[in-house]
Amino acid sequence: MVKLNTAWTSSSKHFKQSGEFSATVKNSLDISGIDSSSDIDLDQTAIETFWCGTVDDKMYRNAGYFSSTITDSQAIGNPTGIDFNQIDTLITRDDGVTDKLVKQSGSFSATVKTSLDISAIETAPNGIADDGTDTIWSGNTGNKLYKTSGAFSATFKTSRDVGTVDTEPTGCDWTGEDTLWSGSENNKLYKTSGAFSATLKNSIAV
């Protein structure tokens, strides 16, 4: 499934770029008056934007790409990554004590369906995606992309050290063929073949 758009975030702004990846910025939205953003996900079915904020410790859902209309929000401790898979909301949490992958029912209910403590492996999780079978996520401590069996088992199927490319991976997503991720060391968006090969297919400086 080729993504029609690539969404990414800085702390104060959301961006939408055409395809994977063109230099064309199609849209952006200043969110500095609302919260400081750490991750973003576009629901290309319902035309909504999901994102998490690190100042107020909230998850947000905005109407459209990107309107300033917040249709829903939910307080949650230290969210660093978010993904909506049409059924549930997947979140990474980094509270400095217990680092977790969390799956919540719908968008957003207070019902936590499952969670997995990953602090023994990674203490700075910051991006998450559902590939339909497994959970893909990124972490800054190990400079790695991770794939965990299902949503979520303690079985780690694979991981890829990306420290030679970028030492600060900050988010990831799955296209159906490739892994999209961002790195704040080089301020770049990356596309890696599959989940995960060492083949870097494309990158663009942002």
Side-chain angles (χ1 to χ4, degrees):
M1 176 188 72
V2 175
K3 283 188 169 289
L4 301 176
N5 302 293
T6 300
W8 58 282
T9 187
S10 68
S11 61
S12 60
K13 226 175 204 187
H14 293 161
F15 298 89
K16 182 175 72 172
Q17 289 190 205
S18 181
E20 305 168 359
F21 311 95
S22 78
T24 305
V25 176
K26 296 178 79 172
N27 199 359
S28 67
L29 175 67
D30 188 335
I31 47 92
S32 58
I34 301 168
D35 208 328
S36 180
S37 179
S38 62
D39 196 22
I40 187 171
D41 185 47
L42 294 184
D43 180 352
Q44 302 203 40
T45 303
I47 318 297
E48 293 179 313
T49 305
F50 292 79
W51 59 285
C52 47
T54 56
V55 175
D56 291 335
D57 291 336
K58 281 187 177 180
M59 302 181 298
Y60 298 91
R61 185 175 68 190
N62 283 40
Y65 310 144
F66 308 103
S67 80
S68 56
T69 304
I70 295 175
T71 56
D72 199 4
S73 69
Q74 179 185 343
I76 184 169
N78 302 92
T80 56
I82 191 166
D83 185 53
F84 181 63
N85 67 8
Q86 309 302 314
I87 299 170
D88 301 306
T89 304
L90 307 181
I91 311 134
T92 50
R93 290 182 59 193
D94 177 13
D95 63 8
V97 180
T98 305
D99 306 292
K100 285 188 175 180
L101 309 181
V102 181
K103 181 167 72 169
Q104 288 195 188
S105 182
S107 63
F108 312 111
S109 79
T111 305
V112 175
K113 295 179 83 170
T114 186
S115 67
L116 176 66
D117 186 336
I118 47 91
S119 53
I121 294 149
E122 176 64 59
T123 58
N126 53 30
I128 192 165
D130 178 3
D131 74 358
T133 304
D134 301 309
T135 304
I136 295 171
W137 53 285
S138 56
N140 264 2
T141 305
N143 303 322
K144 285 186 177 181
L145 306 177
Y146 300 91
K147 182 162 71 168
T148 305
S149 181
F152 312 106
S153 79
T155 305
F156 288 86
K157 296 182 82 170
T158 186
S159 67
R160 169 65 60 183
D161 190 331
V162 294
T164 57
V165 179
D166 199 302
T167 60
E168 296 178 26
T170 53
C172 63
D173 202 2
W174 174 249
T175 69
E177 295 179 2
D178 303 307
T179 303
L180 307 181
W181 57 285
S182 54
S184 57
E185 180 197 19
N186 297 321
N187 298 319
K188 282 189 175 182
L189 306 178
Y190 300 95
K191 181 166 68 170
T192 305
S193 180
F196 314 105
S197 80
T199 306
L200 185 65
K201 296 180 81 171
N202 199 2
S203 68
I204 185 171
V206 292

